[in-house]
């Protein structure tokens, strides 16, 4: 179980590791599953807080930072805006499973959609 999933299912403010769980967007589990089905390694980072993106994904020797947003809360928080503006690398905001698939296609990393 990914740290934070216990919090999602139980309503507890703490992850299985005992850390306070950061708020997770409702579609994060679906997007994590999608990236894994597309062959990416996925490390969740949502518990780091302070504006750090939700996911670190990797495939074929490349890495990407992914901020997950659901359809209801499309805006970045103040911490996220600050972190994104100060980060000297790339950060991608993903709003849906379909957008995750499109990102993977545009990065020329997959040829087929996930069911």
């Amino acid at each position: 179980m990914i740290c934070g999933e216990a919090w999602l299912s139980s309503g507890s403010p703490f992850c299985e590791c005992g850390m306070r769980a950061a708020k997770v967007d409702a579609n994060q589990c679906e997007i994590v599953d999608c990236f894994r089905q597309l062959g990416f390694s996925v490390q969740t980072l949502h518990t780091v807080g302070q504006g750090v993106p939700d996911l670190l994904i990797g495939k074929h020797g490349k890495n990407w930072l992914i901020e997950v947003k659901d359809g209801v809360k499309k805006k970045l928080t103040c911490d996220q805006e600050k972190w994104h503006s100060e980060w000297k690398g790339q950060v991608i905001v993903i709003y849906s499973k379909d957008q995750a698939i499109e990102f993977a296609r545009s990065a020329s990393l997959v040829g087929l959609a996930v069911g």
Side-chain angles (χ1 to χ4, degrees), residues 34-95:
C34 177
F35 278 125
R36 287 189 173 141
Q37 288 178 29
L38 293 169
F40 287 84
S41 297
V42 179
Q43 177 65 54
T44 59
L45 302 173
H46 64 272
T47 58
V48 175
Q50 301 177 8
V52 173
D54 298 310
L55 307 174
L56 171 64
I57 65 170
K59 189 170 182 179
H60 301 305
K62 296 181 180 181
N63 300 302
W64 296 270
L65 288 165
I66 306 291
E67 180 64 46
V68 175
K69 289 290 176 194
D70 66 22
V72 178
K73 308 179 296 183
K74 292 187 178 181
K75 291 187 177 185
L76 296 175
T77 66
C78 292
D79 280 347
Q80 290 167 340
E81 286 181 11
K82 183 178 186 302
W83 194 95
H84 288 213
S85 70
E86 293 175 357
W87 186 248
K88 294 182 177 29
Q90 49 65 38
V91 181
I92 298 139
V93 180
I94 299 285
Y95 295 93

Side-chain angles (χ1 to χ4, degrees), residues 4 6-16 19-21:
W7 171 71
L8 283 174
S9 62
S10 72
S12 169
F14 296 96
C15 294
E16 65 205 21
M19 293 182 64
R20 186 156 185 83

